[in-house]
């Protein structure tokens, strides 16, 4: 099988996983919205995850796939798998021990750390809840680290099914914790669910998958192993650097703590909606394509790796029109997802208003998750780390100015502007460093997609206004009907724009979607009306 076909199959597996994970993640946010609305308790819950996320970042737990895979893949290519497992054990033992030490320290110093990362959170009751929930969630970081290594070896062995289950189990754990424990301990129930989900989905299940992939793990302290030093040198820029997603989450909660209660909650709900598209396209494709980019880089086939990168980015451009669709239907989407329980019409209006600004950055988040992996594939983690850190720090005045001028809307706009500029510049710099001669075609492709999306958006907004004059979109049935009609019109306009602007990638994606729908309908018809001489049991 060619690398392109392997990436396609792996992408389908990861896209299915990410889609289910995002759907369950939205269900999780719906349960949280029902229990806490867009209020201070949800703000405290969101703040409680900041310190654990910082610790996760400092130990590069979220980057294990991009730091460990190139090292392990080299041993596989050289037919030295036993030495690869030895390095795996050394990294697990050394970094795991260090992580446990930091977890204990962070749990002890949680009150002081909360004051640093959310200085605007002045309510003593909410602050105490944030501290308690931080201490509940903190141990989960060890299980994320362990599971990250277990998933990395499965990716290196080109096994994607079991890792694809990790986010599903994790989100189900959060939902179960909130539903079962929430009536007694409130938002803390979701925190306990996060801990249980991390143990089950990200650690125990992945340990089983890694063992099936042939994992050999022993406790080994070997600080002199050359590849441990290589791993540290590769990971160090990521540990001290600020990634785009990490800085976004942090700045959202830091600056949001100065705004009225509920602002952090509303921005976080919108971020989860946006990350459905980012995860479905950018994260899934980036995760699936990286092992193949790393293999091509290890074999010194840089031109082929650039072609794979460019092709992937062209297909990711389809995120733009889908983002426009969400912008048009923002009120209906937020109302259908969240407006129940303690999440009232005022919370819907606030969340929908912020979603309009935030969705503008969706394609940049998606593209960045792929572009940065091109650097990682050639084992260059220093440059993207320094670049993203500089971009995050330079965006602080923008966040502060926008927050003071426009409040929560200003923070949402700052997120979008910052990520668009960073993703574009990161790709432009890769083209110079990686001698990507075909990048001009990617720029032209995105300009065509943007023009087509602008036309589609104008048409959909006019249609929505016309439909809203006869359909009461304030009620769930009306909002669902309006959304369905606008969605059908969107598919038709997208197909027409693909043909008019000669965008082959849109045609390919729509044909695959229609092909899956036709196959599903044929299966249903064959099940309901079996051929003569056969029954439903075959």
């Amino acid at each position: 099988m060619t690398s392109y076909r392997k990436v396609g199959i792996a992408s389908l597996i990861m896209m299915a996983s990410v889609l289910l994970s995002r759907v369950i993640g939205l269900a999780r946010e719906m349960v949280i919205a029902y229990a806490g609305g867009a209020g201070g308790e949800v703000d405290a819950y969101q703040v409680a995850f900041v310190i654990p996320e910082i610790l996760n970042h400092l130990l590069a737990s979220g980057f294990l796939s991009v730091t460990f895979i190139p090292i392990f893949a080299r041993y596989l290519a050289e037919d030295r798998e036993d030495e690869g497992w030895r390095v795996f054990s050394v990294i697990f033992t050394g970094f795991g021990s260090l992580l446990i030490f930091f977890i204990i320290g962070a749990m002890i110093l949680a009150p002081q750390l909360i004051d640093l990362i959310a200085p605007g959170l002045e309510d003593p009751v909410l602050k105490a809840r944030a501290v308690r929930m931080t201490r509940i969630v903190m141990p989960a970081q060890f299980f994320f680290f362990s599971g990250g290594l277990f998933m990395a070896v499965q990716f290196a062995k080109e096994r994607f099914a079991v890792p694809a289950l990790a986010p599903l189990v994790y989100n189900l754990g959060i939902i179960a914790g909130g539903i079962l424990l929430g009536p007694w301990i409130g938002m803390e129930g979701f925190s306990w669910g996060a801990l249980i989900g991390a143990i089950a989905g990200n650690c125990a299940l992945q340990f089983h998958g890694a063992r099936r992939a042939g994992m050999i793990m022993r406790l080994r302290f070997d600080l002199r192993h050359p590849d441990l030093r290589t791993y540290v040198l590769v990971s160090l820029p990521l540990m001290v650097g600020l990634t785009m997603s990490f800085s976004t989450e942090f700045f959202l909660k830091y600056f949001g703590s100065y705004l009225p209660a509920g602002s952090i909650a509303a921005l976080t709900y919108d971020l989860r909606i946006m990350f459905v598209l980012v995860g479905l396209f950018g994260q899934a494709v980036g995760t699936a394509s990286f092992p193949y980019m790393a293999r091509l880089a290890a074999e010194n086939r840089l031109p082929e790796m650039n072609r794979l990168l460019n092709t992937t980015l062209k297909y990711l451009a389809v995120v733009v029109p889908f983002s426009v669709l969400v912008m048009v239907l923002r009120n209906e989407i937020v109302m259908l997802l969240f407006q129940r329980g303690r999440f009232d019409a005022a919370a819907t209006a606030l969340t929908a208003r912020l979603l309009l600004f935030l969705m503008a950055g969706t394609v940049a988040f998606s593209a960045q998750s792929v572009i940065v992996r091109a650097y990682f594939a050639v084992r260059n983690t220093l440059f993207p780390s320094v670049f993203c850190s500089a971009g995050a720090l330079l965006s602080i005045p923008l966040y502060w100015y926008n927050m003071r001028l426009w409040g929560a809307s200003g923070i949402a706009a700052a997120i979008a502007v910052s990520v668009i500029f960073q993703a574009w510049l990161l790709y432009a710099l890769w083209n110079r460093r990686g001698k990507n001669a075909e990048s001009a075609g990617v720029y032209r492709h995105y300009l065509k997609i943007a023009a087509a999306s602008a036309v589609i958006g104008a048409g959909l907004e006019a249609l929505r206004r016309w439909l809203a004059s006869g359909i009461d979109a304030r009620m769930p049935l009306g909002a669902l009907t309006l959304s369905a009609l606008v969605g059908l019109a969107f598919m038709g306009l997208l197909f027409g724009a693909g043909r008019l602007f000669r965008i082959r990638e849109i045609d390919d994606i729509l044909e695959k979607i229609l092909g899956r729908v036709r196959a599903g309908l044929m299966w249903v018809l064959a099940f309901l009306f079996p051929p003569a001489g056969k029954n439903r049991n075959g």
Side-chain angles (χ1 to χ4, degrees), residues 337-357:
L337 288 176
F338 301 126
Q339 191 171 313
R340 56 188 63 83
R342 296 179 63 183
F343 196 99
D344 56 18
T348 295
L350 171 63
T351 307
R353 174 167 55 86
L354 304 181
L355 184 60
L356 175 65
F357 298 98

Side-chain angles (χ1 to χ4, degrees), residues 80-120:
R80 299 168 58 201
E81 186 172 337
D82 289 344
E83 183 62 23
W85 293 122
R86 190 172 293 110
V87 174
F88 168 85
S89 298
V90 169
I91 292 172
F92 177 86
T93 305
F95 275 76
S97 301
L98 184 63
L99 179 57
I100 292 173
F101 172 79
F102 280 119
I103 287 172
I104 295 172
M107 292 177 70
I108 295 172
L109 298 174
Q112 293 78 16
L113 294 173
I114 288 293
D115 288 335
L116 288 175
I117 56 94

Side-chain angles (χ1 to χ4, degrees), residues 76-301:
L76 294 180
E78 296 173 355
D79 198 23
R80 299 168 58 201
E81 186 172 337
D82 289 344
E83 183 62 23
W85 293 122
R86 190 172 293 110
V87 174
F88 168 85
S89 298
V90 169
I91 292 172
F92 177 86
T93 305
F95 275 76
S97 301
L98 184 63
L99 179 57
I100 292 173
F101 172 79
F102 280 119
I103 287 172
I104 295 172
M107 292 177 70
I108 295 172
L109 298 174
Q112 293 78 16
L113 294 173
I114 288 293
D115 288 335
L116 288 175
I117 56 94
L121 190 65
E122 298 178 348
D123 188 319
V125 175
L126 295 180
K127 185 178 296 185
R129 291 177 180 173
V131 169
R132 178 169 173 79
M133 286 187 281
T134 296
R135 287 170 170 162
I136 294 171
V137 175
M138 192 67 70
Q141 305 318 302
F142 175 78
F143 302 106
F144 283 129
F145 166 78
S146 304
L149 270 179
F150 299 151
M151 284 187 278
V153 298
Q154 293 176 78
F155 289 146
K157 291 275 195 164
E158 300 182 5
R159 297 188 178 206
F160 296 89
V162 175
L165 298 175
L168 310 181
V169 177
Y170 174 67
N171 281 318
L172 287 173
I174 297 176
I175 293 172
I179 292 175
L180 297 177
L181 302 177
W184 287 274
I185 57 177
M187 295 303 298
E188 286 185 17
F190 294 97
S191 301
W192 284 109
L195 176 59
I196 295 170
I199 295 172
N202 289 78
C203 186
L205 184 61
Q206 302 313 316
F207 178 81
H208 172 70
R211 287 292 297 272
R212 291 182 59 185
M215 180 183 70
I216 302 173
M217 184 180 70
R218 296 181 177 87
L219 295 180
R220 291 179 180 272
F221 284 97
D222 185 2
L223 300 180
R224 296 183 178 182
H225 196 288
D227 272 322
L228 176 62
R229 291 195 294 269
T230 300
Y231 177 82
V232 171
L233 290 175
V234 172
S235 300
L236 189 60
L238 301 174
M239 295 176 186
V240 299
L242 297 174
T243 64
M244 190 180 294
S245 59
F246 176 79
S247 62
T248 297
E249 294 266 8
F250 179 80
F251 289 152
L252 182 155
K253 293 165 186 174
Y254 181 89
F255 290 105
S257 70
Y258 289 100
L259 299 176
S263 297
I264 293 176
L267 285 165
T268 302
Y269 292 138
D270 285 336
L271 205 62
R272 299 299 171 254
I273 294 174
M274 183 189 71
F275 279 162
V276 171
L277 288 181
V278 174
L280 178 61
F281 293 97
Q283 181 183 341
V285 174
T287 301
S289 62
F290 178 71
Y292 304 103
M293 286 198 290
R295 183 69 61 88
L296 292 171
E299 296 171 356
N300 201 28
R301 296 158 64 186

Side-chain angles (χ1 to χ4, degrees), residues 375 383 387 420-431 443:
Y375 291 91
F383 179 79
F387 173 87
I420 289 172
F421 178 75
Q422 289 183 55
W424 167 76
L425 187 56
L426 189 64
Y427 181 59
L429 294 173
W430 165 262
N431 294 333
Y443 292 130

